[in-house]
Amino acid sequence: MKRGFYIGRFQPYHNGHQSVLEHIAGEVDEIIIGVGSAQLSHLIDNPFTAGERVLMITRSLADIGCPLYVIPIEDIKRNALWVAHVRSMTPPFDACYSSNPLVVQLFREAGIGVQSPAMYERETLSGTEIRRRMICGEPWKSLVPSPVAQVLKEINGTGRLSQIARDE
Amino acid sequence: MKRGFYIGRFQPYHNGHQSVLEHIAGEVDEIIIGVGSAQLSHLIDNPFTAGERVLMITRSLADIGCPLYVIPIEDIKRNALWVAHVRSMTPPFDACYSSNPLVVQLFREAGIGVQSPAMYERETLSGTEIRRRMICGEPWKSLVPSPVAQVLKEINGTGRLSQIARDE
Amino acid sequence: MKRGFYIGRFQPYHNGHQSVLEHIAGEVDEIIIGVGSAQLSHLIDNPFTAGERVLMITRSLADIGCPLYVIPIEDIKRNALWVAHVRSMTPPFDACYSSNPLVVQLFREAGIGVQSPAMYERETLSGTEIRRRMICGEPWKSLVPSPVAQVLKEINGTGRLSQIARDE
Amino acid sequence: MKRGFYIGRFQPYHNGHQSVLEHIAGEVDEIIIGVGSAQLSHLIDNPFTAGERVLMITRSLADIGCPLYVIPIEDIKRNALWVAHVRSMTPPFDACYSSNPLVVQLFREAGIGVQSPAMYERETLSGTEIRRRMICGEPWKSLVPSPVAQVLKEINGTGRLSQIARDE
Amino acid sequence: MKRGFYIGRFQPYHNGHQSVLEHIAGEVDEIIIGVGSAQLSHLIDNPFTAGERVLMITRSLADIGCPLYVIPIEDIKRNALWVAHVRSMTPPFDACYSSNPLVVQLFREAGIGVQSPAMYERETLSGTEIRRRMICGEPWKSLVPSPVAQVLKEINGTGRLSQIARDE
Amino acid sequence: MKRGFYIGRFQPYHNGHQSVLEHIAGEVDEIIIGVGSAQLSHLIDNPFTAGERVLMITRSLADIGCPLYVIPIEDIKRNALWVAHVRSMTPPFDACYSSNPLVVQLFREAGIGVQSPAMYERETLSGTEIRRRMICGEPWKSLVPSPVAQVLKEINGTGRLSQIARDE
């Protein structure tokens, strides 16, 4: 039995994450998804709560055919402790997937191998770009799985983000 | 769609939790299980990590036939903020299940109704009793779902608990 | 101009505190009242929020004829830093009043003189005794200024305390 | 009885705050003033301690003719918990006044109405501008109530700010 | 080159610690001494600051003939992260010495071997017993290296401990 | 006996620090070196752990002929408490050496005199410049004492820094 770990902030969860996870699902038996910076929300760069992000991810992956653990991970703000922190919050895993250079370094120093899946269309498929579009009123729904758009409608996600982005 | 929230420390998850959750599964469409004091482990009263507890719960409820969210909840140590903390880490929920008097009070003050499911055989079916038996070398496996015994074997849970319970 | 500092947890504010503060009001021009362990509430030993305690104190001292600063002080959990913490949260003060041995020691080591006002009827006039009476349904209102009883009625203070004191 | 809540960092308290609070005093019976980021001081953007800010505010509003609660509010760094944090530190309030977009959003999501009083002369009447003038040695006293200038003289506020603004 | 790690709270440092360290000095080239619960002081069980304890240890081991690193270690309050925390604060080490059952377990789970040096005369040679004697005015100086008695005299350690042990 | 305190982040320790400390060694009997922001590592501006920095410093000063205390100091994030925090972690000191404007101000407000030793060749002899060279593959070893280069080789310091500086 092989369990893989994938971490992101998912602000919001988008098609780039979805395609990476569909790829990982073909390589492991179970997937752990760490929802990073779980304690942050209502910020321009981190607008959605951990619970809202858990909902986006779980609904988008309902049919992935692979058991999932979706786990909020609060920031520990001590990089030398971060891998131990992640491992204390998650079931044991054998493989790690990340393209974040710091995450790669921290797992490597802990003796855990990391694979860096290529994210295609990195320029448009990024949380930064999607949040920019939401604030500017440009179209963004094509960049996320449809359950994400549904969750964002339920919580009035664009309204929240637009309000906190207003200049005081 | 009705979503219910159930919280515990699950040190370890046992048959009492299992029977309550099977009951809740008949009342709601989706269940959120909060794993409390998630940051604690390797203590006589809190021996297992949040990740180990997530694994015990998920495996034990594999056949419950109801979507589950198993979410570690770190202590916030400010009771007046605890309900907001829980809600930030979980998908929205309509019903709360707990027999802990403080949890009941905090949710009530937040205007959220709480049901207190009766736990039968409270004396033997408690984490305290199970941990005592583990430390004393008495039989305990009949008190937990079999996947819990399996997880505890994999992580050498009784060995860990016995060691930290040794008198210095 | 002489400013005095008095600290307590005020769980709840009672006639003992009131008589000490009336005494202090005769010695200084302005009084700072530190509401200690401000982050705690909904606990058997610390049932009321800092805001509720601020309200009890302010109403009870409405006619004291001396300017008041009522300041919540969160615990810093590092005794060697506590005096600096208190001073950062309060206007400058010249005199300190406390009968708590630790508070006396910490101010002394910081080179600040402390006076220890005698509290009369210490056995009945204590937060511990008042909370015990509230839980047991015994009379307690004669031990607190009438505005405190009024605040506790508005927030259903005895109901809260009784509920969290229930045995699980 | 109507109680209003107004929050700011007050680095330092200035004529803009004063005029807003004089306006609020005409609408409510009691005012709670939250002193935000209370734990910060000795920074270029946050030079003064919470206690120093409490003193500036209390002295400037000595004649406002309305009971005041001036309450330091430490940062909680979890926006989803911030409203619960504020409410735990303050007496209950019915109305909230703020023109900060995030504060407006957080109170709205908590179901609390917010009014945004217009601040006139926003360009010169801002903490940023006053701190800039203090550092550059330009005139700033006309922008603050005279008790604020007095407090800043007593604590040598411009000296502190100028020193910490020096280039290492 | 072999570096050994030894951890304690050293409240205060006593002859038992001294004899263990003299033993360790014969086995390794350099010794790291972790001063645990570094953030605590002015408590009955933890009366002395980390800096005071560093001074006691360094002076007592001035002639040990082995390079020393005396490092304050603040509590992290998450046992699963504690070994990573210790390692981030200390130079790399190859061997660990402790008779604390939890420390032994945590290092073992991290794959680091631990030796448990026997402490002789455990009943009298304990911080608990020495603090008890200090509070009761009984003789204690024979239980500590003479530099420790000297440091405690300089900081008036028994005076501090006696004061904070007074009943309120 | 005169004890001096010197604080820095030492990311990494370099010849500028070394020359200042050699100067201080001529003025005091013992030196305390505070390793600031001790909890940070694996960041572009703070790549090395406190333990690694302790090792760099201790080895570089092996022959300074003056007793040293090398003490990690975690950030307290409350400037008004920082001096008390430093003093709780260190043996008592009589003199402070720093050219950081904030450190100077904080010690001055605490009534402790500060001397600001001139650092020569500030432009090249800075942690910022050395880290920049490490990332860019430019020569940097001439800017640090040779034991520092040795430590950085042992921990593959340039590899770590280059990896975390990669653009995601």
Side-chain angles (χ1 to χ4, degrees):
Chain A
M1 223 275 298
K2 184 175 178 188
R3 209 178 277 127
F5 177 70
Y6 179 68
I7 183 117
R9 288 189 301 110
F10 309 113
Q11 293 281 16
Y13 184 81
H14 57 62
N15 290 335
H17 304 123
Q18 183 82 358
S19 78
V20 168
L21 281 160
E22 285 167 352
H23 172 78
I24 295 172
E27 297 194 349
V28 300
D29 299 296
E30 295 188 353
I31 302 177
I32 303 164
I33 301 172
V35 179
S37 295
Q39 84 285 1
L40 297 184
S41 70
H42 298 82
L43 293 167
I44 293 178
D45 286 344
N46 289 284
F48 309 117
T49 70
E52 291 162 353
R53 292 177 269 160
V54 166
L55 195 57
M56 294 178 204
I57 295 164
T58 307
R59 283 198 190 162
S60 299
L61 295 170
D63 301 323
I64 198 169
C66 168
L68 292 181
Y69 303 82
V70 187
I71 309 278
I73 306 280
E74 301 193 11
D75 290 331
I76 195 79
K77 282 167 197 154
R78 296 170 177 248
N79 283 333
L81 280 61
W82 189 77
V83 169
H85 175 53
V86 165
R87 296 176 93 165
S88 75
M89 293 291 161
T90 57
F93 51 85
D94 319 277
C96 178
Y97 297 83
S98 179
S99 51
N100 178 293
L102 174 59
V103 169
V104 169
Q105 178 67 17
L106 295 175
F107 274 109
R108 270 188 202 155
E109 290 195 22
I112 300 171
V114 187
Q115 294 180 52
S116 297
M119 267 218 194
Y120 59 82
E121 299 182 42
R122 195 75 182 86
E123 262 168 60
T124 50
L125 271 181
S126 78
T128 305
E129 170 63 12
I130 294 169
R131 295 191 302 273
R132 190 195 64 72
R133 293 189 182 192
M134 285 178 164
I135 292 170
C136 298
E138 297 177 14
W140 54 270
K141 290 183 190 171
S142 64
L143 306 178
V144 302
S146 59
V148 171
Q150 181 59 33
V151 169
L152 288 170
K153 189 179 168 192
E154 286 170 21
I155 65 169
N156 189 14
T158 54
R160 181 194 295 166
L161 182 51
S162 300
Q163 167 65 19
I164 61 183
R166 285 178 58 185
D167 211 321
E168 187 174 350
Chain B
M1 223 275 297
K2 186 176 176 188
R3 209 177 277 125
F5 176 72
Y6 180 68
I7 181 115
R9 288 190 298 112
F10 308 114
Q11 292 280 15
Y13 184 80
H14 57 62
N15 290 335
H17 303 122
Q18 183 83 355
S19 78
V20 168
L21 281 160
E22 285 168 352
H23 172 78
I24 294 172
E27 296 194 349
V28 301
D29 300 297
E30 294 187 353
I31 301 178
I32 303 164
I33 301 172
V35 179
S37 294
Q39 84 283 4
L40 298 183
S41 71
H42 298 82
L43 294 167
I44 293 179
D45 287 343
N46 290 284
F48 308 117
T49 69
E52 291 162 352
R53 293 177 269 159
V54 166
L55 195 57
M56 293 178 205
I57 295 165
T58 307
R59 284 197 190 163
S60 298
L61 294 170
D63 301 324
I64 199 168
C66 168
L68 292 181
Y69 303 82
V70 187
I71 309 277
I73 306 277
E74 300 193 11
D75 289 329
I76 194 80
K77 282 168 198 155
R78 298 171 176 245
N79 284 332
L81 280 60
W82 188 77
V83 169
H85 175 52
V86 165
R87 295 175 92 165
S88 75
M89 292 292 161
T90 57
F93 51 85
D94 319 276
C96 177
Y97 297 82
S98 178
S99 52
N100 179 294
L102 174 59
V103 169
V104 170
Q105 178 67 18
L106 294 175
F107 275 108
R108 271 189 201 154
E109 290 196 22
I112 300 171
V114 186
Q115 294 180 50
S116 297
M119 267 216 192
Y120 60 81
E121 298 182 44
R122 196 74 182 86
E123 263 169 59
T124 50
L125 273 179
S126 78
T128 305
E129 171 62 13
I130 295 169
R131 295 191 302 273
R132 190 195 64 74
R133 293 189 183 192
M134 285 177 163
I135 292 170
C136 298
E138 296 178 14
W140 54 269
K141 290 184 190 170
S142 64
L143 305 179
V144 303
S146 59
V148 171
Q150 181 59 34
V151 169
L152 288 171
K153 188 178 168 192
E154 287 170 20
I155 64 171
N156 190 15
T158 54
R160 181 195 295 167
L161 182 52
S162 300
Q163 167 65 19
I164 61 183
R166 286 177 60 185
D167 211 321
E168 187 174 350
Chain C
M1 222 276 296
K2 185 178 176 186
R3 208 176 278 126
F5 176 72
Y6 179 68
I7 182 115
R9 287 189 301 112
F10 309 114
Q11 293 281 16
Y13 184 81
H14 57 62
N15 289 335
H17 304 122
Q18 183 82 355
S19 78
V20 168
L21 281 160
E22 285 167 352
H23 173 78
I24 295 172
E27 296 195 349
V28 299
D29 300 295
E30 294 187 355
I31 300 176
I32 303 164
I33 301 172
V35 179
S37 295
Q39 84 284 3
L40 296 184
S41 71
H42 298 80
L43 294 167
I44 292 179
D45 287 344
N46 290 283
F48 309 118
T49 70
E52 291 162 353
R53 293 177 270 159
V54 166
L55 195 57
M56 293 178 204
I57 295 165
T58 307
R59 282 197 191 164
S60 299
L61 294 170
D63 300 325
I64 199 169
C66 169
L68 292 181
Y69 303 82
V70 187
I71 308 278
I73 306 279
E74 300 193 11
D75 290 329
I76 195 78
K77 282 168 199 155
R78 297 172 175 245
N79 283 332
L81 280 61
W82 188 79
V83 169
H85 175 52
V86 165
R87 296 176 93 165
S88 75
M89 293 291 161
T90 58
F93 51 85
D94 320 276
C96 178
Y97 298 84
S98 178
S99 51
N100 178 294
L102 174 59
V103 170
V104 170
Q105 178 67 19
L106 294 175
F107 275 108
R108 272 189 200 154
E109 290 196 21
I112 300 170
V114 186
Q115 294 180 48
S116 297
M119 268 218 192
Y120 60 81
E121 300 182 42
R122 196 73 182 88
E123 264 169 59
T124 51
L125 272 179
S126 78
T128 305
E129 171 63 12
I130 294 169
R131 295 192 302 272
R132 190 196 63 75
R133 292 189 183 192
M134 285 178 164
I135 292 171
C136 298
E138 297 178 15
W140 54 270
K141 290 184 190 170
S142 64
L143 305 179
V144 302
S146 59
V148 171
Q150 181 60 34
V151 168
L152 288 171
K153 189 179 166 191
E154 287 170 21
I155 65 170
N156 190 15
T158 53
R160 180 194 296 166
L161 182 51
S162 300
Q163 168 64 20
I164 61 184
R166 286 177 58 184
D167 211 321
E168 187 172 349
Chain D
M1 221 275 295
K2 186 177 176 188
R3 208 178 277 126
F5 176 72
Y6 180 68
I7 183 115
R9 287 190 300 112
F10 308 114
Q11 293 280 16
Y13 184 80
H14 58 61
N15 290 335
H17 304 123
Q18 183 83 355
S19 78
V20 168
L21 280 160
E22 286 167 351
H23 172 78
I24 295 173
E27 295 194 349
V28 300
D29 300 295
E30 295 188 353
I31 301 177
I32 302 163
I33 300 173
V35 179
S37 295
Q39 84 284 2
L40 297 183
S41 70
H42 298 81
L43 294 166
I44 293 179
D45 288 343
N46 290 283
F48 309 117
T49 70
E52 291 162 353
R53 292 176 270 160
V54 166
L55 196 56
M56 294 178 203
I57 295 165
T58 307
R59 283 196 188 164
S60 299
L61 294 170
D63 301 324
I64 198 170
C66 169
L68 292 181
Y69 303 82
V70 187
I71 309 278
I73 306 278
E74 301 193 10
D75 290 329
I76 194 79
K77 281 167 200 158
R78 296 171 178 246
N79 284 333
L81 280 61
W82 188 78
V83 169
H85 175 53
V86 165
R87 295 176 94 166
S88 76
M89 292 291 160
T90 58
F93 51 84
D94 320 275
C96 178
Y97 297 82
S98 178
S99 51
N100 178 294
L102 174 59
V103 170
V104 169
Q105 178 67 16
L106 294 175
F107 275 109
R108 271 189 201 154
E109 289 196 22
I112 301 170
V114 186
Q115 294 181 50
S116 297
M119 268 217 191
Y120 60 80
E121 300 183 40
R122 196 73 181 88
E123 263 169 59
T124 50
L125 272 180
S126 79
T128 305
E129 170 64 13
I130 294 169
R131 295 192 302 273
R132 190 195 64 75
R133 293 189 182 193
M134 285 177 163
I135 292 170
C136 299
E138 297 177 15
W140 54 269
K141 290 184 190 171
S142 65
L143 306 179
V144 302
S146 59
V148 171
Q150 181 59 33
V151 169
L152 288 172
K153 188 178 169 192
E154 288 170 20
I155 65 171
N156 189 15
T158 53
R160 180 195 296 165
L161 182 51
S162 300
Q163 167 65 19
I164 60 183
R166 286 178 59 186
D167 211 322
E168 185 173 353
Chain E
M1 221 274 297
K2 186 176 176 188
R3 209 177 277 126
F5 176 72
Y6 179 67
I7 182 115
R9 287 190 300 113
F10 308 113
Q11 292 282 15
Y13 184 81
H14 58 62
N15 290 335
H17 304 123
Q18 183 82 355
S19 78
V20 168
L21 281 160
E22 285 166 352
H23 172 78
I24 295 173
E27 296 195 348
V28 300
D29 300 295
E30 295 187 353
I31 301 177
I32 303 164
I33 301 173
V35 179
S37 295
Q39 83 285 4
L40 297 184
S41 70
H42 297 82
L43 293 167
I44 294 179
D45 286 344
N46 289 284
F48 309 118
T49 69
E52 290 161 354
R53 292 177 270 159
V54 166
L55 195 57
M56 294 177 204
I57 295 165
T58 308
R59 284 197 190 164
S60 300
L61 294 170
D63 301 324
I64 198 168
C66 168
L68 290 182
Y69 303 81
V70 187
I71 308 278
I73 307 278
E74 301 193 11
D75 289 329
I76 194 80
K77 282 167 198 154
R78 297 171 176 245
N79 283 333
L81 280 61
W82 188 78
V83 169
H85 175 54
V86 165
R87 296 176 92 166
S88 75
M89 293 292 160
T90 58
F93 50 85
D94 320 276
C96 177
Y97 297 83
S98 178
S99 52
N100 179 294
L102 174 58
V103 170
V104 169
Q105 178 67 18
L106 294 175
F107 275 108
R108 271 189 201 154
E109 290 195 23
I112 301 170
V114 187
Q115 293 180 50
S116 297
M119 268 219 192
Y120 60 80
E121 299 183 42
R122 196 73 182 87
E123 263 167 60
T124 50
L125 271 180
S126 79
T128 305
E129 171 63 12
I130 294 169
R131 295 191 303 272
R132 190 195 64 74
R133 292 189 183 192
M134 285 178 163
I135 292 170
C136 298
E138 296 178 14
W140 54 270
K141 291 184 190 171
S142 64
L143 306 179
V144 304
S146 59
V148 171
Q150 182 60 34
V151 169
L152 288 171
K153 188 179 169 191
E154 287 170 21
I155 65 170
N156 190 14
T158 54
R160 181 195 294 167
L161 182 52
S162 300
Q163 168 65 18
I164 61 183
R166 284 178 58 185
D167 211 320
E168 186 173 352
Chain F
M1 222 274 298
K2 186 176 176 187
R3 208 177 278 126
F5 177 71
Y6 179 67
I7 182 118
R9 288 190 298 111
F10 308 113
Q11 292 282 16
Y13 184 80
H14 58 61
N15 290 335
H17 304 123
Q18 183 83 355
S19 78
V20 168
L21 280 160
E22 285 167 352
H23 172 78
I24 295 173
E27 296 194 348
V28 300
D29 300 295
E30 294 187 355
I31 301 177
I32 303 164
I33 301 173
V35 179
S37 295
Q39 84 284 2
L40 297 184
S41 70
H42 298 81
L43 293 167
I44 293 179
D45 287 344
N46 289 284
F48 308 118
T49 70
E52 290 161 353
R53 293 176 269 160
V54 166
L55 196 57
M56 293 178 204
I57 295 165
T58 307
R59 283 196 190 163
S60 299
L61 295 170
D63 301 324
I64 198 169
C66 168
L68 291 181
Y69 304 82
V70 187
I71 309 278
I73 307 278
E74 301 194 10
D75 290 329
I76 195 79
K77 281 167 200 156
R78 296 171 177 245
N79 283 333
L81 280 61
W82 188 78
V83 170
H85 175 53
V86 165
R87 295 176 94 166
S88 75
M89 293 291 161
T90 58
F93 51 85
D94 319 275
C96 177
Y97 297 83
S98 178
S99 51
N100 178 294
L102 174 59
V103 170
V104 170
Q105 178 66 17
L106 294 175
F107 274 109
R108 271 189 201 154
E109 290 195 23
I112 301 170
V114 186
Q115 294 181 50
S116 296
M119 267 219 193
Y120 59 80
E121 299 183 41
R122 196 75 181 84
E123 260 168 62
T124 50
L125 271 180
S126 78
T128 305
E129 171 62 13
I130 295 169
R131 295 191 302 274
R132 190 195 64 74
R133 293 189 183 192
M134 285 177 163
I135 292 170
C136 299
E138 297 177 15
W140 54 269
K141 290 183 189 171
S142 64
L143 306 179
V144 302
S146 59
V148 171
Q150 182 60 33
V151 169
L152 288 171
K153 187 178 169 193
E154 287 170 21
I155 64 169
N156 190 14
T158 53
R160 181 195 295 166
L161 182 51
S162 301
Q163 167 65 18
I164 61 183
R166 286 178 59 185
D167 211 322
E168 186 175 350

